[in-house]
Amino acid sequence: MRIVIAGGHGQIALRLERLLAARGDEVAGIIRKAEQADDLREAGAEPVVLDLESASVDEVAERLRGADAAVFAAGAGPGSGVARKDTVDKAAAVLFADAAVKAGVRRFVIVSSMGADPRHEGDEIFDVYLRAKGEADAYVRGLDALDWTVLRPGQLTDDAGTGLVRLEARTGRGPIPRDDVAAVLAELVDTSATAGLTLELISGPAPVSVAVKSVAGN
């Protein structure tokens, strides 16, 4: 498969690129800064320098053309202000989804957040973030031209992955190593039977492949 990842230098994205490249997939990661390119090459991914906050749908679609799947793993990051929650966590996700439609890439996985809700109330930065992620999810779920899956991890940690997770429509809150989020994403990209599902993810009792097959109905 050829897979294009938005937010290609993110902590989850770099882990995902390594996993996909190791299994023989062709991976491209969209990054904002040219100086990030070597990190992607080291992970086995082709770096694509493109700023999703200023790019057009056509520009992004051109980078997506010929891909088998697209993964939106970009985020403004914990140190960003309110404005970038809208321009990255929401608007860039919408742009990437529209570009996937234009490029004819049906398989689309978006990394969201537990608690994401377009109706979430509050004015703190995290409130704005959850609202922006919820609005992005709602937009993607409204696109019939995409075979979308929304993944909502719990509290992200840098602990070593265990390969054991709980993946369900509702899991309740809990931690999840970034390693395991990447492992689940790698399985989801390859499992089109999870299209149309919004899934929460925390550490749990099931091996990743078993958890994904379970929600896919296999």
Side-chain angles (χ1 to χ4, degrees), residues 67-151:
D68 298 292
V71 178
F72 185 82
S80 60
V82 167
R84 295 198 71 229
K85 304 304 182 195
D86 186 65
T87 58
V88 179
D89 293 298
K90 178 186 173 184
V94 168
L95 173 75
F96 197 59
D98 285 343
V101 172
K102 192 174 185 72
V105 181
R106 288 203 64 94
R107 187 71 181 120
F108 192 93
V109 180
I110 181 168
V111 182
S112 183
S113 174
M114 197 170 290
D117 184 346
R119 295 174 301 279
H120 182 85
E121 296 181 353
D123 299 316
E124 298 296 323
I125 286 184
F126 194 64
D127 297 321
V128 175
Y129 168 75
L130 290 177
R131 200 155 49 240
K133 294 297 280 186
E135 288 168 348
D137 294 353
Y139 185 84
V140 169
R141 291 187 298 198
L143 295 174
D144 293 337
L146 294 181
D147 294 329
W148 54 264
T149 302
V150 177
L151 182 66

Side-chain angles (χ1 to χ4, degrees), residues 175-200:
I176 179 78
R178 289 178 173 87
D179 287 350
D180 290 334
V181 177
V184 168
L185 286 169
E187 289 278 340
L188 288 175
V189 160
D190 220 13
T191 312
S192 57
T194 60
L197 300 180
T198 299
L199 301 167
E200 293 184 351

Side-chain angles (χ1 to χ4, degrees), residues 34 41 47 97 138 208:
R41 293 190 188 99
V208 166

